[in-house]
Amino acid sequence: MSDLPLRVLVIGYVWPEPNSSAAGSRMMQLLDSFLVQGWRVDFASPAQPTEHQVDLAAQGIASHVIRLNCSSFDQFLLDTTPNIVVFDRFMMEEQFGWRVEKYAPQALRILNTEDLHSLRHARHQALKAGRDYQPQDLHSELAIREVAAIFRSDLTLMISAVETRLLQQQFQMPATQLYTLPFMLQPITATQKQQRLSFTQRRDFVSIGNFRHAPNWDAVLYLKQTLWPAIRQQLPDASVHIYGAYPPPKATQLHNPAQGFLIKGWADDAKQVVGQARVLLAPLRFGAGLKGKLVEAMQTGTPSVTTPLGAEGMHAELPWSGAIGDDETAFIQQAVNLYTNEDGWQQAQQQGDHLLEQLYNRAKLEPDFIARVLQQYQQRDSLRQQHFIGQMLRHHSMKSTQYMAQWIEAKNKHN
């Protein structure tokens, strides 16, 4: 617990949906960490409400609907008087950062990236072009915007150490502006382990992911068109159950019981459906950050088969909780092997438990995270003096963003 009665304002790109996406789970972990300190937490977003959003009021968090390009937010800041402002993704820093600097200048500005959007985009473009990703692919307009927002922020939360290193090596980001914080999870208890279904009690494969997230949709298509027919040929009695929020018609049309390819859509309890399967498949061909589905698989004792990109940044140098397929042939064979080999399956499950304990234990991660936030808050003035590039970018780019926002607001009033 901190002695400082801090007030935290989170500006969300979307309303949190912990049952729909890893980003929603990550946001709830951050909010909970602030609440545990006894801090007051407000959550504001310009996004439309959704059917799956969490009840923030039940958590003790006040919700506020805010508007883009509107000076009403300025008064909201003056009324809220936050000590810390968290921008959920760089687009929110672009929209609201200059207003926070002007009307809450002493507030610590934290950027929560979820993942490095520009890296995900660059990898997607390379895949569409039919070639391997190259570091120079990252030098895009999206990267310019995202990296500028990171420089402008006092502290940026990176979910993957791989992405932290990339920012430091490729863009010379100071370590004093970055903090690597993976998923913060409650340890799996002995009782929870005992309640898991055994190898013989489980059947079929599972794949899960929000269909609105491009890497997930690509993985479903890749599974349907290339990987699953070959797996099914070796395991004719097995099916794969595809779950995820917001399935579009193009996804539901892939449903084919005769092929054992079952589009299930929204899962009320993701861990339950993952925990019933014998193996989780995550054939991700592009993306960034850490993959919530792979962590959920570990939590439920379900070994997984994924790609090197899927496992990126998720296991340090420790053995993976399943298998990592370097190519199509390896992915297919490892999926079959894991599904049919009980000894290998049990070893993979134990490796998942070890990964959770070593890398994702909230009891280890949260105290260091809060200590860093407090340190950054207390030293914010001196650190801002050190971060000259951030000062420069705030001076120039914030002015252009400010004038554009004010022009849009004035235009809207006259329409």
Side-chain angles (χ1 to χ4, degrees):
M1 287 283 289
S2 160
D3 294 332
L4 290 169
L6 295 183
R7 297 178 298 281
V8 183
L9 169 63
V10 180
I11 303 176
Y13 178 65
V14 293
W15 297 99
E17 294 187 15
N19 293 329
S20 299
S21 69
S25 298
R26 157 70 156 204
M27 176 51 68
M28 293 312 297
Q29 291 161 19
L30 294 177
L31 295 175
D32 197 46
S33 289
F34 298 143
L35 290 171
V36 167
Q37 310 310 310
W39 300 349
R40 191 188 85 191
V41 181
D42 291 89
F43 191 97
S45 178
Q48 293 293 318
T50 68
E51 59 179 312
H52 301 312
Q53 72 185 55
V54 75
D55 182 358
L56 291 173
Q59 315 284 327
I61 299 169
S63 298
H64 311 271
V65 176
I66 52 177
R67 295 174 61 190
L68 300 172
N69 304 308
C70 183
S71 55
S72 60
F73 182 76
D74 305 343
Q75 187 59 49
F76 171 70
L77 278 175
L78 293 170
D79 294 339
T80 313
T81 61
N83 303 106
I84 297 171
V85 176
V86 179
F87 301 102
D88 178 33
R89 293 169 245 206
F90 79 92
M91 298 82 85
M92 292 298 94
E93 191 279 338
E94 283 185 330
Q95 282 284 345
F96 297 101
W98 69 270
R99 295 184 186 274
V100 171
E101 182 165 17
K102 188 172 182 179
Y103 295 98
Q106 287 305 302
L108 184 75
R109 296 185 292 273
I110 298 177
L111 174 58
N112 176 44
T113 55
E114 297 296 353
D115 63 14
L116 208 53
H117 290 56
S118 49
L119 177 61
R120 172 165 28 105
H121 174 76
R123 286 170 166 169
H124 193 185
Q125 296 306 110
L127 178 67
K128 287 195 285 189
R131 59 175 178 79
D132 290 337
Y133 161 79
Q134 303 293 331
Q136 58 266 30
D137 292 334
L138 196 55
H139 291 217
S140 63
E141 181 185 347
L142 191 67
I144 290 169
R145 290 173 54 199
E146 186 168 33
V147 174
I150 294 169
F151 268 111
R152 286 192 298 262
S153 302
D154 293 312
L155 184 66
T156 293
L157 306 181
M158 304 302 301
I159 202 163
S160 165
V162 170
E163 295 175 10
T164 302
R165 285 195 297 272
L166 185 151
L167 287 172
Q168 290 178 298
Q169 293 168 5
Q170 199 152 336
F171 300 109
Q172 288 73 56
M173 282 294 309
T176 47
Q177 281 183 272
L178 299 173
Y179 188 76
T180 305
L181 183 69
F183 296 124
M184 297 184 286
L185 307 173
Q186 296 290 358
I188 304 298
T189 65
T191 303
Q192 287 171 320
K193 290 179 183 179
Q194 289 169 358
Q195 290 172 343
R196 290 170 174 168
L197 297 180
S198 67
F199 176 86
T200 53
Q201 289 173 316
R202 298 176 185 232
R203 54 173 298 164
D204 293 341
F205 294 87
V206 69
S207 184
I208 191 165
N210 191 322
F211 282 94
R212 287 181 178 173
H213 192 53
N216 292 335
W217 169 237
D218 176 77
V220 170
L221 284 178
Y222 183 41
L223 195 58
K224 168 76 172 180
Q225 296 166 356
T226 305
L227 303 172
W228 182 248
I231 295 171
R232 172 83 166 185
Q233 192 171 14
Q234 296 188 58
L235 299 169
D237 294 330
S239 296
V240 60
H241 302 251
I242 314 286
Y243 290 93
Y246 306 108
K250 64 183 179 180
T252 52
Q253 287 166 9
L254 299 178
H255 182 75
N256 190 323
Q259 297 173 354
F261 198 86
L262 310 175
I263 303 291
K264 296 294 187 71
W266 168 259
D268 289 327
D269 186 337
K271 287 181 181 173
Q272 182 187 22
V273 298
V274 172
Q276 290 173 344
R278 190 175 289 178
V279 175
L280 179 133
L281 301 177
L284 294 156
R285 297 195 292 179
F286 69 98
L290 303 185
K291 316 304 179 294
K293 59 179 72 65
L294 295 173
V295 167
E296 281 184 343
M298 294 180 211
Q299 289 177 305
T300 56
T302 306
S304 59
V305 184
T306 190
T307 58
L309 193 143
E312 179 185 82
M314 292 201 63
H315 61 116
E317 301 302 317
L318 298 171
W320 184 246
S321 56
I324 300 170
D326 291 331
D327 55 37
E328 288 173 13
T329 304
F331 190 100
I332 292 160
Q333 201 51 52
Q334 287 165 342
V336 172
N337 291 346
L338 200 53
Y339 193 83
T340 54
N341 181 343
E342 185 170 358
D343 289 341
W345 186 91
Q346 288 176 342
Q347 183 180 355
Q349 186 181 76
Q350 291 165 7
Q351 287 166 186
D353 288 338
H354 187 61
L355 284 172
L356 289 173
E357 173 59 32
Q358 293 299 309
L359 304 179
Y360 301 99
N361 189 336
R362 175 177 171 173
K364 297 178 181 178
L365 295 168
E366 187 175 77
D368 290 344
F369 165 54
I370 294 298
R372 177 62 184 273
V373 169
L374 289 172
Q375 178 189 1
Q376 208 86 10
Y377 177 75
Q378 288 153 1
Q379 299 176 6
R380 63 194 181 285
D381 292 334
S382 60
L383 286 170
R384 284 172 184 172
Q385 289 296 315
Q386 289 178 36
H387 300 152
F388 184 78
I389 292 176
Q391 283 187 56
M392 184 173 65
L393 287 169
R394 286 201 304 277
H395 175 78
H396 291 292
S397 60
M398 286 295 94
K399 284 286 181 279
S400 62
T401 309
Q402 174 183 344
Y403 294 141
M404 175 61 80
Q406 290 172 337
W407 178 80
I408 292 171
E409 182 178 8
K411 183 170 171 283
N412 291 339
K413 284 179 180 174
H414 289 294
N415 287 345

PDB file of all heavy atoms in Angstrom, residues 236-247:
ATOM      1  N   PRO A 236      -8.610 -38.989 -37.763  1.00  0.00           N
ATOM      2  CA  PRO A 236      -9.940 -38.833 -38.388  1.00  0.00           C
ATOM      3  C   PRO A 236     -11.094 -38.676 -37.401  1.00  0.00           C
ATOM      4  O   PRO A 236     -12.166 -38.196 -37.793  1.00  0.00           O
ATOM      5  CB  PRO A 236     -10.086 -40.115 -39.218  1.00  0.00           C
ATOM      6  CG  PRO A 236      -9.111 -41.084 -38.636  1.00  0.00           C
ATOM      7  CD  PRO A 236      -7.982 -40.276 -38.110  1.00  0.00           C
ATOM      8  N   ASP A 237     -10.896 -39.050 -36.137  1.00  0.00           N
ATOM      9  CA  ASP A 237     -11.976 -38.924 -35.145  1.00  0.00           C
ATOM     10  C   ASP A 237     -11.923 -37.602 -34.386  1.00  0.00           C
ATOM     11  O   ASP A 237     -12.809 -37.316 -33.574  1.00  0.00           O
ATOM     12  CB  ASP A 237     -11.915 -40.078 -34.134  1.00  0.00           C
ATOM     13  CG  ASP A 237     -12.214 -41.421 -34.794  1.00  0.00           C
ATOM     14  OD1 ASP A 237     -12.986 -41.434 -35.779  1.00  0.00           O
ATOM     15  OD2 ASP A 237     -11.664 -42.437 -34.341  1.00  0.00           O
ATOM     16  N   ALA A 238     -10.890 -36.804 -34.615  1.00  0.00           N
ATOM     17  CA  ALA A 238     -10.723 -35.546 -33.869  1.00  0.00           C
ATOM     18  C   ALA A 238     -11.420 -34.388 -34.585  1.00  0.00           C
ATOM     19  O   ALA A 238     -11.569 -34.380 -35.811  1.00  0.00           O
ATOM     20  CB  ALA A 238      -9.245 -35.228 -33.695  1.00  0.00           C
ATOM     21  N   SER A 239     -11.833 -33.413 -33.786  1.00  0.00           N
ATOM     22  CA  SER A 239     -12.409 -32.169 -34.316  1.00  0.00           C
ATOM     23  C   SER A 239     -11.632 -30.994 -33.728  1.00  0.00           C
ATOM     24  O   SER A 239     -10.920 -31.139 -32.726  1.00  0.00           O
ATOM     25  CB  SER A 239     -13.885 -32.041 -33.932  1.00  0.00           C
ATOM     26  OG  SER A 239     -14.651 -33.072 -34.522  1.00  0.00           O
ATOM     27  N   VAL A 240     -11.782 -29.833 -34.341  1.00  0.00           N
ATOM     28  CA  VAL A 240     -11.224 -28.609 -33.776  1.00  0.00           C
ATOM     29  C   VAL A 240     -12.373 -27.638 -33.550  1.00  0.00           C
ATOM     30  O   VAL A 240     -13.189 -27.409 -34.439  1.00  0.00           O
ATOM     31  CB  VAL A 240     -10.118 -27.994 -34.665  1.00  0.00           C
ATOM     32  CG1 VAL A 240     -10.626 -27.628 -36.059  1.00  0.00           C
ATOM     33  CG2 VAL A 240      -9.508 -26.776 -33.988  1.00  0.00           C
ATOM     34  N   HIS A 241     -12.446 -27.111 -32.333  1.00  0.00           N
ATOM     35  CA  HIS A 241     -13.506 -26.193 -31.938  1.00  0.00           C
ATOM     36  C   HIS A 241     -12.936 -24.770 -31.956  1.00  0.00           C
ATOM     37  O   HIS A 241     -11.981 -24.468 -31.235  1.00  0.00           O
ATOM     38  CB  HIS A 241     -14.014 -26.529 -30.531  1.00  0.00           C
ATOM     39  CG  HIS A 241     -14.526 -27.938 -30.406  1.00  0.00           C
ATOM     40  ND1 HIS A 241     -15.850 -28.248 -30.258  1.00  0.00           N
ATOM     41  CD2 HIS A 241     -13.872 -29.141 -30.419  1.00  0.00           C
ATOM     42  CE1 HIS A 241     -16.011 -29.563 -30.176  1.00  0.00           C
ATOM     43  NE2 HIS A 241     -14.811 -30.121 -30.279  1.00  0.00           N
ATOM     44  N   ILE A 242     -13.529 -23.897 -32.774  1.00  0.00           N
ATOM     45  CA  ILE A 242     -13.022 -22.527 -32.952  1.00  0.00           C
ATOM     46  C   ILE A 242     -13.922 -21.564 -32.182  1.00  0.00           C
ATOM     47  O   ILE A 242     -15.096 -21.396 -32.523  1.00  0.00           O
ATOM     48  CB  ILE A 242     -13.003 -22.122 -34.440  1.00  0.00           C
ATOM     49  CG1 ILE A 242     -12.398 -23.223 -35.311  1.00  0.00           C
ATOM     50  CG2 ILE A 242     -12.311 -20.775 -34.615  1.00  0.00           C
ATOM     51  CD1 ILE A 242     -10.923 -23.379 -35.209  1.00  0.00           C
ATOM     52  N   TYR A 243     -13.370 -20.933 -31.152  1.00  0.00           N
ATOM     53  CA  TYR A 243     -14.122 -19.974 -30.349  1.00  0.00           C
ATOM     54  C   TYR A 243     -13.558 -18.566 -30.532  1.00  0.00           C
ATOM     55  O   TYR A 243     -12.386 -18.388 -30.857  1.00  0.00           O
ATOM     56  CB  TYR A 243     -14.026 -20.332 -28.862  1.00  0.00           C
ATOM     57  CG  TYR A 243     -14.779 -21.582 -28.463  1.00  0.00           C
ATOM     58  CD1 TYR A 243     -14.143 -22.821 -28.443  1.00  0.00           C
ATOM     59  CD2 TYR A 243     -16.122 -21.514 -28.100  1.00  0.00           C
ATOM     60  CE1 TYR A 243     -14.823 -23.976 -28.073  1.00  0.00           C
ATOM     61  CE2 TYR A 243     -16.812 -22.662 -27.724  1.00  0.00           C
ATOM     62  CZ  TYR A 243     -16.162 -23.889 -27.712  1.00  0.00           C
ATOM     63  OH  TYR A 243     -16.841 -25.018 -27.347  1.00  0.00           O
ATOM     64  N   GLY A 244     -14.404 -17.576 -30.287  1.00  0.00           N
ATOM     65  CA  GLY A 244     -13.945 -16.192 -30.326  1.00  0.00           C
ATOM     66  C   GLY A 244     -15.110 -15.228 -30.373  1.00  0.00           C
ATOM     67  O   GLY A 244     -16.189 -15.543 -30.899  1.00  0.00           O
ATOM     68  N   ALA A 245     -14.892 -14.046 -29.822  1.00  0.00           N
ATOM     69  CA  ALA A 245     -15.918 -13.010 -29.835  1.00  0.00           C
ATOM     70  C   ALA A 245     -16.068 -12.411 -31.231  1.00  0.00           C
ATOM     71  O   ALA A 245     -15.113 -12.373 -31.997  1.00  0.00           O
ATOM     72  CB  ALA A 245     -15.570 -11.910 -28.834  1.00  0.00           C
ATOM     73  N   TYR A 246     -17.269 -11.965 -31.530  1.00  0.00           N
ATOM     74  CA  TYR A 246     -17.598 -11.238 -32.764  1.00  0.00           C
ATOM     75  C   TYR A 246     -17.255 -11.993 -34.050  1.00  0.00           C
ATOM     76  O   TYR A 246     -16.580 -11.465 -34.931  1.00  0.00           O
ATOM     77  CB  TYR A 246     -16.907  -9.859 -32.758  1.00  0.00           C
ATOM     78  CG  TYR A 246     -17.208  -9.050 -31.522  1.00  0.00           C
ATOM     79  CD1 TYR A 246     -16.229  -8.851 -30.547  1.00  0.00           C
ATOM     80  CD2 TYR A 246     -18.469  -8.511 -31.307  1.00  0.00           C
ATOM     81  CE1 TYR A 246     -16.503  -8.121 -29.389  1.00  0.00           C
ATOM     82  CE2 TYR A 246     -18.759  -7.776 -30.164  1.00  0.00           C
ATOM     83  CZ  TYR A 246     -17.768  -7.583 -29.205  1.00  0.00           C
ATOM     84  OH  TYR A 246     -18.050  -6.866 -28.073  1.00  0.00           O
ATOM     85  N   PRO A 247     -17.748 -13.247 -34.197  1.00  0.00           N
ATOM     86  CA  PRO A 247     -17.484 -13.970 -35.454  1.00  0.00           C
ATOM     87  C   PRO A 247     -18.305 -13.373 -36.598  1.00  0.00           C
ATOM     88  O   PRO A 247     -19.525 -13.253 -36.487  1.00  0.00           O
ATOM     89  CB  PRO A 247     -17.938 -15.402 -35.141  1.00  0.00           C
ATOM     90  CG  PRO A 247     -18.954 -15.247 -34.044  1.00  0.00           C
ATOM     91  CD  PRO A 247     -18.530 -14.061 -33.244  1.00  0.00           C
TER      92      PRO A 247
END
